[in-house]
């Protein structure tokens, strides 16, 4: 059988996640890991580190080179952190599988809690969502741009460029850094849509790849991420839009919770909706409710 090629970015976290997919496929199909080859594709998002993502092309900078390789047949599937995948994807590409979702929380590094960051201090982040949420809670803090992989951001923090930063708990755990930072409960910082989820994309017409990946698809995670991404689509949210969202399934009921904020965090709206996991009308209904109640400073970020 031909080797199945998994494309990935080259950061330590991306490689770890690709290895997770490779190992899951090998175990599910009782095949040696050598039947699944990891191919590193360097993306524009990895090359440009000194500007906010939204200024240089948005989330497509993480995916376009992988998409090109996938559609050219150079790889059979792409492994992504799903929160880095733009909401609207090419019709020729399909999300075929999700690994079980990890810890969705953010971890605060540099201070024991948000309240413990020094008065008038500095927080480093490149996320509009995190920046707005922190400004909402601590308007005295300044925000500086922190981009790069986990090691880069931790190094910048250690060099004193900021008093604290926020990193995804899932990424830290996958890198074996369970003890780095303090987890922030989701009722204080609702996470980014799709945070903690690893997804695998294929060519939409590749039946062999779809069947191969079906064996490792975590249905509950897939359903939750689909709901969160559908909410983003209904909101027409872009990289500039501070949006937090989390879907959970318990007792056969899906709960989708979301928060929209102005860039300075001063204006915000929160809401939630419940229903059947496969009710595709839920995300759009929540989007309508949030936009109807949102202050003008929030609503204008989602218009046009």
């Amino acid at each position: 059988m031909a080797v199945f090629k998994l494309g990935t970015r080259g950061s330590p976290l991306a490689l770890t996640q690709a290895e997770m997919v490779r190992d899951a496929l090998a175990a599910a199909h009782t095949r040696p890991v050598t039947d699944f080859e990891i191919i590193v594709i360097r993306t524009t998002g990895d090359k440009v580190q000194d500007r906010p993502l939204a200024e240089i092309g948005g989330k497509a900078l993480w995916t376009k080179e992988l998409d090109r390789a996938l559609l050219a047949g150079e790889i059979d599937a792409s492994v992504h952190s799903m929160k880095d995948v733009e909401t609207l994807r090419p019709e020729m590409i399909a999300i075929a599988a999700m690994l079980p979702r990890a810890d969705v929380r953010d971890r605060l590094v540099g201070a024991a809690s948000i309240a413990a960051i020094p008065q008038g201090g500095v927080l480093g982040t490149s996320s509009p969502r995190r920046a707005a949420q922190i400004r909402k809670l601590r308007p005295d803090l300044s925000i500086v741009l922190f981009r790069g992989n986990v090691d880069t951001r931790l190094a910048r923090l250690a060099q004193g460029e900021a008093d604290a930063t926020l990193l995804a708990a899932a990424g830290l755990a996958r890198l074996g850094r369970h003890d780095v930072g303090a987890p922030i409960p989701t009722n204080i910082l609702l996470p980014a849509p799709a945070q903690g989820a690893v997804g695998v994309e294929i060519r939409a017409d590749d039946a062999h790849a779809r069947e191969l990946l079906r064996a490792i698809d975590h249905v509950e995670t897939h359903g939750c991420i689909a709901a969160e991404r559908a909410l983003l689509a209904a909101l027409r949210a872009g990289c500039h839009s501070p949006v937090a969202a989390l879907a959970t399934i318990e007792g056969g009921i899906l709960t989708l919770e979301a928060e929209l904020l102005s860039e300075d965090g001063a204006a915000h709206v929160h809401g939630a909706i419940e229903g059947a996991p496969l009710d595709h009308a839920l995300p759009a209904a929540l989007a309508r409710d949030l936009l109807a109640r949102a202050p003008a400073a929030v609503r204008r970020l989602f218009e046009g």
Side-chain angles (χ1 to χ4, degrees), residues 27-49:
H29 295 284
T30 322
R31 288 169 57 179
V33 292
T34 50
D35 283 358
F36 304 92
E37 183 182 0
I38 294 173
I39 307 292
V40 174
I41 309 289
R42 193 160 186 232
T43 69
T44 306
D46 293 309
K47 298 171 191 173
V48 182
Q49 299 289 339

Side-chain angles (χ1 to χ4, degrees), residues 230-236 256 258 260 269-273 279-294 299 302:
L231 174 70
L232 288 177
L235 290 167
R236 293 185 292 180
L256 179 60
L260 313 182
V269 62
H270 175 275
I273 196 167
D279 187 346
H280 301 301
L282 288 177
L286 179 57
R288 289 193 299 271
D289 170 63
L290 290 168
L291 292 175
R293 295 188 292 108
R299 195 164 54 248
F302 299 89

Side-chain angles (χ1 to χ4, degrees), residues 203-264:
R203 293 181 293 278
D205 61 357
D206 190 339
H208 169 68
R210 190 181 293 274
E211 185 59 32
L212 196 69
L213 285 157
R214 191 190 311 276
I216 67 167
D217 186 35
H218 190 256
V219 175
E220 182 174 308
T221 295
H222 207 142
C224 288
I225 300 308
E228 293 167 24
R229 288 173 58 81
L231 174 70
L232 288 177
L235 290 167
R236 293 185 292 180
C239 287
H240 288 286
S241 310
V243 182
L246 179 63
T248 54
I249 297 174
E250 188 171 343
I253 299 295
L254 181 140
T255 300
L256 179 60
E257 180 183 5
E259 181 181 34
L260 313 182
L261 304 101
S262 60
E263 291 175 343
D264 63 3

Side-chain angles (χ1 to χ4, degrees), residues 8-22 38-41 79 175:
T8 178
R9 291 165 53 200
S11 73
L13 178 56
L15 287 169
T16 295
Q17 292 173 166
E19 289 165 0
M20 290 166 58
V21 171
R22 177 199 64 192
I38 294 173
I39 307 292
V40 174
I41 309 289
V79 181
L175 291 171

